[in-house]
Amino acid sequence: MSPVNLIITLLLLSIVAHYLAHNRAEALARPLGGIRHLHSLPFYYGLRSALWCGLPALALLLLWMIFDDPLTRSLVLAGMPGDAVPESPAQRGLLLSTIVNVAEGALPPDGLSATVVEAAQRYQELRGLSTRIVSVAAFALALGGLAWGVRRISPQLRARQEVETVLRWLLLTSASIAIFTTLGILLSVLFESLRFFQSVPVTDFLFGLEWSPQMAIREGQVGSTGQFGAVPLFVGTLLISAIALLVAVPVGLMSAIYLGEYASPRVRNIAKPVLEILAGVPTVVYGFFAALTVAPFIRDLGMQLGLSVSSESALAAGLVMGVMIIPFVSSLTDDVITAVPRSLRDGSLAMGATRSETIKKVIMPAALPGIVGGVLLAASRAIGETMIVVMAAGLAANLTANPLETVTTITVQIVTLLVGDQEFDSPKTLAAFALGLMLFVTTLLLNVIALRVVKKYRERYD
Amino acid sequence: MTELAKNTPETIRASLARRHRAETRFRCYGIAAISFGMLAVVVLLADITIKGHGAFRQTYVQLEVHYDPELLDIDDARDPAALLRGNFQAVVRAALRDRLGQVSGRVEHRAQNALVSNGAAYDLRERMRENPDLLGARETLWLAADDDIDTWFKSRGGEAFTGRISDRQMEWMRALEADGDVALRFNADFFTRGDSREPEQAGIGGAIMGSLLTLVVTLALSFPIGVAAAIYLEEFAPQNRWTDFIEVNINNLAAVPSIIFGLLGLAVFINFFEVPRSAPVLGGLVLTLMTLPTIIISSRAAIKAVPPSIREAALGVGASKMQTVLGHVLPLAMPGMLTGAIIGMAQALGETAPLLMIGMVAFIVDVPTGFTEPATVLPVQIFLWADSPERAFVEKTSGAIMVLLTFLIFMNALAVLLRKRLERRW
């Protein structure tokens, strides 16, 4: 039975369990003089049985879905004659995928060795067997749970408490998924990065000045040993992010101040939603805009001024990224400015300060930690932004601070290294995970610092 | 004292003028900043619209087609194998020749044949599959023009783009147009077809379907989990390290670059759990993890907004904590949660980077119909087309962007409406 059908059957069984238990609870209560003599409402007896019926079987099914495939594969490999199994893990993986493809009919078996065809048959048999076993086991568990759940019902059974405990655990599990996600991210990038650092020393990666991640396809190939010095990427990322922040911070800050302190309600009601459109536009749209409109415009402008501008200049990507971050900066600034107590403002105005003096000398100093936090968050967003740079920035890893030249960034390299087919063990793909680790750590640090600064500041006025 | 003594009315007046100038200047900076932002919005939207509005219309050429059994080499139009073998390309060519006259030389032949999209042959085959009686009949049809012709025809108003078509082709098109046999018509194929290497046959139907399937998975997973997490954190969580840790994690995940979630999907879901590559179910899983923080944060805000008096009243009449939360707090917080979910879905709909990592960039012609079939999504389709060298794809890309933005505007408007209609203020 396919997993989907199995799940549907289990759900139906749970409904049956609910119904049976509900009826049984009512039947038990009738001679006693009504359901008020039961510990819990009949509904909870029903729910309790349904949970007993469904949850263990579903848990089993989940475990099976996770471990079934690796287990079958290793069994198939173990069943093959020793000399047919290659030593290296990569070749073993290749052999396995051939076997699986043959078994699933995606690959015609003709022309392959008899052992492979045999193994494919064995794979198919094992899969069928394990599906049958798990179907029967899940059914047995569900029926057992149902029988147990229904039979245990008595007027004294604390059904509601039991159900609520289970629900509480489910809620806690849902809340903990955030932790598992972080853990998953950390482990996946960390493991692959460690494997990468086995072939390329950490110092070479962090301080190397040359980036050309081409690995030799065959041995002894000329000029393709692969250089994994990530400094040009860091510099490129910083350059583009700096341009973006140069655009976004002044514009975002000033527009938040103007909308908050000067603008009439009418202007505010129009300008605020219009600026928020910028936050809702998908990044791929900005990328398209940067690559097809802004970059040629800047190139032409540069040509008229007699400058040579690359058609994938850092300036174009940075400018558009800055536009993207404007609403982010402005809404964060808005938050911290409105959090400054009214009394400070009134005090300053009462002393005869003009509005701009009040803003510059009273509100800004008071709001500064919050604004710094906002800028840090914006920086983390600029560093992690992918689509704009993938589409508008280049691939060439130039070590330069000239915004008119092409630079590449961490995210661009991650995408180019990982998009398309690739074997999973080469340093080239593993390098992407090392870059991902750098990106994760950097943005995590920025976020933690920013959130802490913002939080600390908020507490001061609450 | 000396400082004060200097403040004569004259110096004050002078400094006042200076201060007022500074005030005006500051105000101008503000206006400049707002104008820059507004200008960016206008330029962005105008640029996309100008480039993309043409994608919804396509140049069609009216031709009389003769389903000549000999040319087609089909005896029985009810035989699917014969239909597949049938040379419909020749029928289209014959129709062009009949209409425009015989030409000599390979170059001219090729130029004439290139007027009409080579997808026209497939369309004719489909027509015959539906109506086998067409064999031997004649009918007048509007056939899609080739993308180069289409680009030229649409751009004639201004600076005509003639880079890829010959003078002879222009002559033919002018002749056809003079007879009213060329027209721009609504391009329905754009919305129903999958991807194609030929711009005039490429559509966003497959990508829209892929986006839909992916979003269904995302919503089905992220909404229940997000709401459950929010309920736990707001109503049940004890103040301890574990809950603090959960909170820190959620806040951080909300700011983790989306591409990192793609790496997670690649390393964990594809390599460890062996979820099929490029499938909507995989995209949905990755986007779930990405949108969860958004949904949790907005759901918590919605729960917080429910006044304590509701809880106290329920507890007061003897409801348990769980009954209070599920029966009273949750229904009242639901509109706010739904709003958050819609905004989270809008975010997921526009997301591209993590999906590039998990193989949803494949070139997929068929419109996906299931959760485990290879699919692509709308933003990724935009990314793919933006990379294509054909000029006609610029128009298609902008058109797809317009469709994507329309969906996003619709979703955000729905969220605003929901908030206004259903949200209660206490």
Side-chain angles (χ1 to χ4, degrees):
Chain A
M1 208 183 267
S2 80
V4 177
N5 288 342
L6 211 54
I7 288 172
I8 293 173
T9 324
L10 285 178
L11 290 180
L12 287 177
L13 263 181
S14 299
I15 293 172
V16 170
H18 181 96
Y19 176 78
L20 287 178
H22 193 281
N23 278 0
R24 184 166 156 82
E26 277 183 343
L28 276 178
R30 219 166 287 128
L32 296 174
I35 57 166
R36 68 199 166 86
H37 293 281
L38 295 175
H39 175 272
S40 310
L41 290 169
F43 168 77
Y44 284 100
Y45 290 99
L47 204 55
R48 182 180 162 280
S49 302
L51 289 175
W52 267 112
C53 170
L55 278 187
L58 282 177
L60 174 82
L61 206 60
L62 192 70
L63 284 179
W64 174 74
M65 278 157 100
I66 294 171
F67 292 109
D68 165 56
D69 221 39
L71 203 67
T72 343
R73 280 166 191 233
S74 53
L75 277 178
V76 165
L77 275 191
M80 284 173 82
D83 54 332
V85 183
E87 282 292 322
S88 83
Q91 291 199 323
R92 216 179 297 162
L94 203 66
L95 178 71
L96 262 178
S97 67
T98 318
I99 293 173
V100 173
N101 278 336
V102 172
E104 281 164 0
L107 203 71
D110 11 293
L112 291 166
S113 72
T115 45
V116 170
V117 177
E118 221 167 85
Q121 266 170 5
R122 205 172 133 69
Y123 176 81
Q124 225 165 4
E125 277 164 23
L126 279 174
R127 281 306 290 265
L129 186 69
S130 91
T131 311
R132 271 197 298 283
I133 289 176
V134 84
S135 303
V136 170
F139 259 125
L141 256 182
L143 288 176
L146 192 157
W148 199 70
V150 173
R151 277 196 47 187
R152 276 264 339 252
I153 292 173
S154 73
Q156 288 80 37
L157 181 71
R158 297 157 64 83
R160 182 173 60 77
Q161 274 81 349
E162 284 186 22
V163 168
E164 287 186 353
T165 312
V166 173
L167 285 183
R168 247 182 114 120
W169 276 103
L170 285 180
L171 293 183
L172 174 64
T173 317
S174 303
S176 307
I177 282 182
I179 293 182
F180 293 124
T181 311
T182 313
L183 204 68
I185 290 176
L186 206 60
L187 288 184
S188 55
V189 288
L190 210 59
F191 266 124
E192 309 294 346
S193 303
L194 286 179
R195 281 169 64 194
F196 172 69
F197 291 135
Q198 279 169 3
S199 53
V200 177
V202 185
T203 44
D204 283 12
F205 175 71
L206 285 181
F207 306 113
L209 297 183
E210 188 140 350
W211 177 267
S212 64
Q214 294 310 316
M215 288 308 282
I217 296 169
R218 51 177 196 279
E219 268 171 57
Q221 205 173 342
V222 184
S224 47
T225 40
Q227 294 284 324
F228 292 97
V231 170
L233 310 191
F234 298 152
V235 172
T237 308
L238 287 181
L239 178 63
I240 291 184
S241 304
I243 298 171
L245 289 180
L246 276 180
V247 174
V249 172
V251 174
L253 209 63
M254 282 314 292
S255 51
I257 290 172
Y258 186 80
L259 286 179
E261 306 283 329
Y262 288 105
S264 65
R266 218 164 58 92
V267 173
R268 196 169 24 235
N269 285 342
I270 298 170
K272 223 174 175 173
V274 170
L275 285 185
E276 268 162 23
I277 290 179
L278 287 177
V281 172
T283 51
V284 67
V285 177
Y286 282 114
F288 178 71
F289 181 64
L292 266 88
T293 306
V294 177
F297 176 74
I298 289 179
R299 194 191 50 212
D300 294 347
L301 203 68
M303 267 188 346
Q304 279 170 10
L305 295 174
L307 295 167
S308 85
V309 183
S310 154
S311 56
E312 290 177 330
S313 61
L315 189 60
L319 268 180
V320 174
M321 196 191 281
V323 170
M324 185 194 80
I325 309 178
I326 289 174
F328 191 68
V329 175
S330 97
S331 79
L332 283 170
T333 314
D334 198 36
D335 283 352
V336 286
I337 284 182
T338 44
V340 174
R342 187 87 227 156
S343 52
L344 287 182
R345 206 171 316 220
D346 291 347
S348 164
L349 290 171
M351 298 286 285
T354 62
R355 273 166 178 262
S356 64
E357 281 162 353
T358 307
I359 293 164
K360 278 188 278 193
K361 300 200 170 130
V362 178
I363 297 180
M364 289 303 259
L368 197 60
I371 292 173
V372 169
V375 171
L376 287 181
L377 282 179
S380 118
R381 183 164 273 213
I383 290 173
E385 169 48 42
T386 310
M387 290 322 290
I388 295 178
V389 282
V390 166
M391 293 168 86
L395 289 175
N398 295 326
L399 185 55
T400 172
N402 180 359
L404 302 180
E405 273 187 47
T406 303
V407 294
T408 189
T409 71
I410 297 177
T411 47
V412 172
Q413 289 304 320
I414 294 179
V415 170
T416 29
L417 291 177
L418 285 183
V419 166
D421 289 324
Q422 78 294 107
E423 55 176 319
F424 208 70
D425 293 326
S426 82
K428 202 176 146 188
T429 48
L430 293 177
F433 284 89
L435 290 174
L437 179 68
M438 298 308 299
L439 187 62
F440 183 66
V441 170
T442 317
T443 52
L444 192 72
L445 276 179
L446 281 174
N447 294 338
V448 169
I449 295 171
L451 288 174
R452 190 151 287 181
V453 170
V454 170
K455 203 174 169 193
K456 207 166 185 180
Y457 158 77
R458 277 212 187 112
E459 278 161 4
R460 250 174 49 202
Y461 289 113
D462 275 349
Chain B
M1 208 52 207
T2 46
E3 278 292 310
L4 271 180
K6 273 198 270 176
N7 283 346
T8 61
E10 289 79 56
T11 53
I12 288 179
R13 213 166 288 133
S15 79
L16 210 54
R18 187 170 41 79
R19 286 168 58 199
H20 283 166
R21 275 202 303 279
E23 170 78 22
T24 318
R25 224 165 30 234
F26 193 72
R27 199 185 262 255
C28 288
Y29 293 151
I31 293 174
I34 299 276
S35 313
F36 179 80
M38 304 268 259
L39 187 74
V41 176
V42 172
V43 169
L44 179 68
L45 294 183
D47 181 53
I48 300 287
T49 318
I50 290 168
K51 282 196 183 124
H53 70 97
F56 305 110
R57 283 145 73 78
Q58 156 79 30
T59 312
Y60 284 86
V61 179
Q62 182 167 253
L63 288 176
E64 194 189 9
V65 180
H66 178 210
Y67 297 94
D68 187 353
E70 260 173 53
L71 256 184
L72 282 169
D73 195 18
I74 295 178
D75 306 322
D76 179 12
R78 281 176 181 76
D79 175 13
L83 265 183
L84 269 183
R85 263 199 328 271
N87 190 355
F88 287 88
Q89 206 77 49
V91 169
V92 177
R93 285 177 189 162
L96 277 168
R97 200 175 52 236
D98 293 347
R99 181 69 182 75
L100 300 168
Q102 182 76 36
V103 288
S104 57
R106 281 173 64 87
V107 179
E108 293 251 296
H109 263 294
R110 194 170 292 169
Q112 193 178 54
N113 295 338
L115 285 181
V116 169
S117 157
N118 57 15
Y122 298 99
D123 293 343
L124 293 185
R125 175 175 296 148
E126 282 311 305
R127 285 185 74 81
M128 190 175 276
R129 198 193 302 281
E130 277 161 29
N131 182 11
D133 297 333
L134 279 176
L135 192 65
R138 282 172 185 277
E139 67 176 339
T140 308
L141 286 177
W142 287 95
L143 298 177
D146 188 70
D147 62 305
D148 293 325
I149 305 286
D150 182 51
T151 311
W152 168 75
F153 192 73
K154 281 175 187 161
S155 66
R156 279 177 325 154
E159 195 183 322
F161 179 77
T162 54
R164 294 191 40 144
I165 80 169
S166 66
D167 292 341
R168 192 68 201 271
Q169 284 177 315
M170 276 187 252
E171 218 173 273
W172 280 323
M173 288 303 284
R174 290 206 188 91
L176 283 168
E177 195 189 5
D179 298 340
D181 284 343
V182 180
L184 279 176
R185 313 172 102 209
F186 176 67
N187 187 2
D189 287 345
F190 182 63
F191 292 96
T192 54
R193 289 218 170 142
D195 198 2
S196 169
R197 297 273 186 234
E198 301 291 328
E200 75 275 3
Q201 293 167 47
I204 52 173
I208 288 181
M209 198 61 204
S211 274
L212 187 73
L213 292 171
T214 309
L215 279 194
V216 166
V217 176
T218 311
L219 185 66
L221 288 173
S222 66
F223 189 58
I225 295 177
V227 168
I231 289 176
Y232 182 79
L233 291 175
E234 278 302 314
E235 300 283 344
F236 293 100
Q239 270 300 315
N240 60 21
R241 287 210 171 160
W242 184 250
T243 17
D244 282 350
F245 191 49
I246 292 179
E247 292 215 15
V248 170
N249 267 299
I250 290 174
N251 287 333
N252 277 328
L253 281 181
V256 164
S258 59
I259 191 171
I260 298 281
F261 287 97
L263 289 178
L264 171 76
L266 182 60
V268 174
F269 291 134
I270 294 186
N271 287 337
F272 190 71
F273 289 127
E274 308 199 335
V275 180
R277 236 163 195 280
S278 313
V281 66
L282 176 60
L285 277 171
V286 169
L287 291 180
T288 296
L289 296 183
M290 206 195 77
T291 47
L292 257 183
T294 315
I295 293 185
I296 293 176
I297 290 169
S298 63
S299 297
R300 287 184 72 174
I303 293 174
K304 253 188 212 143
V306 176
S309 55
I310 303 276
R311 293 181 188 87
E312 282 151 18
L315 292 172
V317 295
S320 71
K321 181 81 188 168
M322 190 64 82
Q323 286 170 328
T324 308
V325 172
L326 295 185
H328 301 274
V329 177
L330 191 60
L332 289 172
M334 204 38 106
M337 293 176 165
L338 283 177
T339 314
I342 295 174
I343 289 171
M345 287 305 110
Q347 191 191 340
L349 176 61
E351 196 53 67
T352 323
L355 301 180
L356 297 183
M357 305 278 94
I358 54 170
M360 291 190 92
V361 276
F363 172 73
I364 291 153
V365 178
D366 296 324
V367 177
T369 51
F371 291 107
T372 50
E373 278 174 38
T376 185
V377 295
L378 205 43
V380 176
Q381 186 71 73
I382 290 168
F383 170 68
L384 284 172
W385 281 353
D387 254 5
S388 301
E390 286 93 345
R391 191 184 155 104
F393 268 125
V394 173
E395 186 182 87
K396 294 276 168 188
T397 315
S398 308
I401 289 176
M402 286 167 77
V403 173
L404 178 63
L405 289 180
T406 312
F407 276 124
L408 289 176
I409 289 170
F410 175 74
M411 285 167 86
N412 281 302
L414 190 70
V416 171
L417 199 75
L418 207 67
R419 183 154 46 202
K420 283 218 170 112
R421 273 283 168 81
L422 297 176
E423 205 162 52
R424 284 165 71 169
R425 300 240 166 252
W426 278 283

Short mmCIF file of all heavy atoms in Angstrom, two decimals, chain B residues 213-245:
data_model
loop_
_atom_site.label_atom_id
_atom_site.label_comp_id
_atom_site.label_asym_id
_atom_site.label_seq_id
_atom_site.Cartn_x
_atom_site.Cartn_y
_atom_site.Cartn_z
N LEU B 213 1.01 24.36 -6.49
CA LEU B 213 1.26 23.11 -5.76
C LEU B 213 2.22 23.35 -4.60
O LEU B 213 2.01 22.87 -3.49
CB LEU B 213 1.83 22.05 -6.71
CG LEU B 213 0.88 21.52 -7.78
CD1 LEU B 213 1.63 20.66 -8.78
CD2 LEU B 213 -0.24 20.73 -7.14
N THR B 214 3.27 24.13 -4.88
CA THR B 214 4.25 24.40 -3.83
C THR B 214 3.60 25.16 -2.67
O THR B 214 3.83 24.86 -1.50
CB THR B 214 5.41 25.23 -4.41
OG1 THR B 214 5.87 24.57 -5.58
CG2 THR B 214 6.55 25.35 -3.44
N LEU B 215 2.77 26.15 -3.02
CA LEU B 215 2.15 26.93 -1.96
C LEU B 215 1.16 26.10 -1.16
O LEU B 215 1.01 26.32 0.05
CB LEU B 215 1.42 28.14 -2.56
CG LEU B 215 2.27 29.35 -2.91
CD1 LEU B 215 1.40 30.55 -3.16
CD2 LEU B 215 3.26 29.64 -1.80
N VAL B 216 0.49 25.15 -1.81
CA VAL B 216 -0.44 24.28 -1.08
C VAL B 216 0.32 23.51 -0.01
O VAL B 216 -0.09 23.46 1.16
CB VAL B 216 -1.17 23.31 -2.04
CG1 VAL B 216 -1.86 22.20 -1.26
CG2 VAL B 216 -2.19 24.06 -2.87
N VAL B 217 1.47 22.94 -0.40
CA VAL B 217 2.28 22.21 0.57
C VAL B 217 2.73 23.15 1.69
O VAL B 217 2.63 22.84 2.88
CB VAL B 217 3.50 21.57 -0.11
CG1 VAL B 217 4.39 20.89 0.90
CG2 VAL B 217 3.06 20.58 -1.16
N THR B 218 3.21 24.34 1.29
CA THR B 218 3.71 25.29 2.28
C THR B 218 2.63 25.67 3.27
O THR B 218 2.84 25.66 4.49
CB THR B 218 4.21 26.56 1.57
OG1 THR B 218 5.07 26.18 0.51
CG2 THR B 218 4.97 27.45 2.51
N LEU B 219 1.45 25.99 2.75
CA LEU B 219 0.36 26.43 3.63
C LEU B 219 -0.08 25.29 4.54
O LEU B 219 -0.25 25.47 5.74
CB LEU B 219 -0.82 26.92 2.79
CG LEU B 219 -1.97 27.51 3.58
CD1 LEU B 219 -1.52 28.79 4.26
CD2 LEU B 219 -3.16 27.81 2.69
N ALA B 220 -0.21 24.08 3.96
CA ALA B 220 -0.70 22.94 4.73
C ALA B 220 0.25 22.61 5.87
O ALA B 220 -0.18 22.13 6.92
CB ALA B 220 -0.87 21.71 3.83
N LEU B 221 1.55 22.87 5.69
CA LEU B 221 2.49 22.57 6.76
C LEU B 221 2.71 23.76 7.68
O LEU B 221 2.67 23.64 8.90
CB LEU B 221 3.83 22.14 6.16
CG LEU B 221 3.86 20.77 5.51
CD1 LEU B 221 5.19 20.55 4.82
CD2 LEU B 221 3.65 19.69 6.55
N SER B 222 2.93 24.94 7.09
CA SER B 222 3.39 26.05 7.92
C SER B 222 2.27 26.65 8.76
O SER B 222 2.52 27.10 9.87
CB SER B 222 4.04 27.13 7.06
OG SER B 222 3.11 27.71 6.22
N PHE B 223 1.05 26.64 8.28
CA PHE B 223 -0.01 27.26 9.07
C PHE B 223 -0.31 26.49 10.35
O PHE B 223 -0.25 27.08 11.44
CB PHE B 223 -1.26 27.47 8.21
CG PHE B 223 -2.31 28.30 8.89
CD1 PHE B 223 -2.02 29.59 9.31
CD2 PHE B 223 -3.57 27.81 9.11
CE1 PHE B 223 -2.96 30.36 9.96
CE2 PHE B 223 -4.53 28.57 9.75
CZ PHE B 223 -4.23 29.85 10.18
N PRO B 224 -0.59 25.17 10.28
CA PRO B 224 -0.84 24.45 11.53
C PRO B 224 0.35 24.49 12.49
O PRO B 224 0.19 24.76 13.68
CB PRO B 224 -1.10 23.01 11.09
CG PRO B 224 -1.37 23.07 9.65
CD PRO B 224 -0.74 24.30 9.11
N ILE B 225 1.55 24.25 11.94
CA ILE B 225 2.72 24.23 12.81
C ILE B 225 2.96 25.61 13.42
O ILE B 225 3.23 25.75 14.61
CB ILE B 225 3.96 23.75 12.04
CG1 ILE B 225 3.77 22.30 11.59
CG2 ILE B 225 5.21 23.87 12.88
CD1 ILE B 225 4.91 21.77 10.76
N GLY B 226 2.84 26.64 12.58
CA GLY B 226 3.08 28.00 13.06
C GLY B 226 2.09 28.39 14.15
O GLY B 226 2.47 28.95 15.18
N VAL B 227 0.81 28.08 13.93
CA VAL B 227 -0.21 28.42 14.92
C VAL B 227 0.04 27.65 16.20
O VAL B 227 -0.02 28.21 17.31
CB VAL B 227 -1.61 28.15 14.34
CG1 VAL B 227 -2.65 28.22 15.44
CG2 VAL B 227 -1.94 29.15 13.25
N ALA B 228 0.35 26.35 16.07
CA ALA B 228 0.60 25.54 17.27
C ALA B 228 1.78 26.10 18.05
O ALA B 228 1.72 26.22 19.28
CB ALA B 228 0.86 24.09 16.87
N ALA B 229 2.84 26.47 17.33
CA ALA B 229 4.02 27.01 18.01
C ALA B 229 3.67 28.31 18.72
O ALA B 229 4.07 28.53 19.87
CB ALA B 229 5.14 27.24 16.99
N ALA B 230 2.88 29.16 18.03
CA ALA B 230 2.52 30.44 18.64
C ALA B 230 1.68 30.22 19.89
O ALA B 230 1.87 30.88 20.91
CB ALA B 230 1.76 31.29 17.62
N ILE B 231 0.73 29.28 19.81
CA ILE B 231 -0.11 28.99 20.97
C ILE B 231 0.76 28.53 22.14
O ILE B 231 0.62 29.00 23.26
CB ILE B 231 -1.15 27.90 20.64
CG1 ILE B 231 -2.20 28.44 19.69
CG2 ILE B 231 -1.82 27.39 21.91
CD1 ILE B 231 -3.19 27.40 19.25
N TYR B 232 1.68 27.63 21.85
CA TYR B 232 2.52 27.12 22.93
C TYR B 232 3.31 28.26 23.56
O TYR B 232 3.33 28.43 24.78
CB TYR B 232 3.47 26.04 22.42
CG TYR B 232 4.31 25.47 23.53
CD1 TYR B 232 3.78 24.54 24.39
CD2 TYR B 232 5.61 25.92 23.76
CE1 TYR B 232 4.51 24.04 25.45
CE2 TYR B 232 6.35 25.44 24.81
CZ TYR B 232 5.80 24.51 25.65
OH TYR B 232 6.52 24.03 26.71
N LEU B 233 3.94 29.08 22.71
CA LEU B 233 4.83 30.11 23.25
C LEU B 233 4.05 31.17 24.01
O LEU B 233 4.52 31.70 25.01
CB LEU B 233 5.64 30.75 22.11
CG LEU B 233 6.67 29.83 21.47
CD1 LEU B 233 7.32 30.50 20.29
CD2 LEU B 233 7.72 29.43 22.49
N GLU B 234 2.84 31.48 23.55
CA GLU B 234 2.09 32.55 24.21
C GLU B 234 1.33 32.06 25.43
O GLU B 234 1.18 32.79 26.41
CB GLU B 234 1.09 33.18 23.22
CG GLU B 234 1.69 34.22 22.30
CD GLU B 234 2.34 35.37 23.06
OE1 GLU B 234 1.72 35.87 24.02
OE2 GLU B 234 3.48 35.74 22.70
N GLU B 235 0.79 30.84 25.36
CA GLU B 235 -0.16 30.42 26.39
C GLU B 235 0.40 29.40 27.37
O GLU B 235 -0.03 29.34 28.50
CB GLU B 235 -1.42 29.83 25.73
CG GLU B 235 -2.15 30.81 24.82
CD GLU B 235 -2.96 31.84 25.62
OE1 GLU B 235 -3.20 31.61 26.81
OE2 GLU B 235 -3.35 32.84 25.01
N PHE B 236 1.28 28.54 26.92
CA PHE B 236 1.68 27.43 27.78
C PHE B 236 3.13 27.50 28.24
O PHE B 236 3.46 26.96 29.28
CB PHE B 236 1.48 26.09 27.05
CG PHE B 236 0.04 25.78 26.80
CD1 PHE B 236 -0.53 26.00 25.57
CD2 PHE B 236 -0.76 25.29 27.83
CE1 PHE B 236 -1.86 25.72 25.35
CE2 PHE B 236 -2.09 25.01 27.61
CZ PHE B 236 -2.65 25.22 26.37
N ALA B 237 3.98 28.15 27.45
CA ALA B 237 5.41 28.02 27.71
C ALA B 237 5.76 28.53 29.10
O ALA B 237 5.42 29.65 29.46
CB ALA B 237 6.19 28.80 26.65
N PRO B 238 6.46 27.71 29.87
CA PRO B 238 6.98 28.21 31.14
C PRO B 238 8.18 29.10 30.84
O PRO B 238 8.79 29.00 29.77
CB PRO B 238 7.40 26.92 31.86
CG PRO B 238 7.71 25.96 30.77
CD PRO B 238 6.83 26.32 29.62
N GLN B 239 8.49 29.98 31.77
CA GLN B 239 9.66 30.83 31.56
C GLN B 239 10.90 30.02 31.90
O GLN B 239 11.35 29.99 33.02
CB GLN B 239 9.58 32.06 32.47
CG GLN B 239 8.87 33.24 31.84
CD GLN B 239 9.56 33.71 30.57
OE1 GLN B 239 10.77 33.82 30.54
NE2 GLN B 239 8.79 33.95 29.52
N ASN B 240 11.47 29.35 30.89
CA ASN B 240 12.72 28.65 31.18
C ASN B 240 13.66 28.78 30.00
O ASN B 240 13.37 29.45 29.01
CB ASN B 240 12.46 27.19 31.53
CG ASN B 240 11.78 26.44 30.40
OD1 ASN B 240 11.85 26.86 29.24
ND2 ASN B 240 11.13 25.35 30.72
N ARG B 241 14.80 28.12 30.11
CA ARG B 241 15.84 28.30 29.10
C ARG B 241 15.38 27.80 27.73
O ARG B 241 15.67 28.42 26.72
CB ARG B 241 17.08 27.53 29.52
CG ARG B 241 17.77 28.23 30.65
CD ARG B 241 19.22 27.94 30.55
NE ARG B 241 19.93 28.75 31.49
CZ ARG B 241 21.15 28.45 31.89
NH1 ARG B 241 21.74 27.38 31.42
NH2 ARG B 241 21.78 29.23 32.73
N TRP B 242 14.68 26.66 27.77
CA TRP B 242 14.26 26.06 26.50
C TRP B 242 13.38 27.03 25.72
O TRP B 242 13.58 27.25 24.53
CB TRP B 242 13.52 24.75 26.79
CG TRP B 242 13.13 23.97 25.58
CD1 TRP B 242 11.86 23.79 25.12
CD2 TRP B 242 13.98 23.28 24.67
NE1 TRP B 242 11.88 23.03 23.98
CE2 TRP B 242 13.17 22.70 23.68
CE3 TRP B 242 15.36 23.11 24.58
CZ2 TRP B 242 13.68 21.95 22.63
CZ3 TRP B 242 15.87 22.36 23.53
CH2 TRP B 242 15.03 21.80 22.58
N THR B 243 12.40 27.66 26.39
CA THR B 243 11.52 28.59 25.69
C THR B 243 12.28 29.83 25.24
O THR B 243 12.05 30.35 24.15
CB THR B 243 10.32 29.01 26.55
OG1 THR B 243 10.60 28.69 27.90
CG2 THR B 243 9.08 28.33 26.11
N ASP B 244 13.20 30.31 26.09
CA ASP B 244 14.02 31.45 25.66
C ASP B 244 14.79 31.11 24.40
O ASP B 244 14.87 31.91 23.45
CB ASP B 244 15.02 31.82 26.77
CG ASP B 244 14.34 32.60 27.88
OD1 ASP B 244 13.17 32.98 27.66
OD2 ASP B 244 14.96 32.80 28.93
N PHE B 245 15.33 29.90 24.42
CA PHE B 245 16.14 29.44 23.30
C PHE B 245 15.27 29.37 22.03
O PHE B 245 15.69 29.80 20.95
CB PHE B 245 16.70 28.06 23.65
CG PHE B 245 17.75 27.58 22.70
CD1 PHE B 245 18.80 28.39 22.34
CD2 PHE B 245 17.69 26.30 22.16
CE1 PHE B 245 19.77 27.95 21.47
CE2 PHE B 245 18.66 25.85 21.29
CZ PHE B 245 19.70 26.68 20.95
#
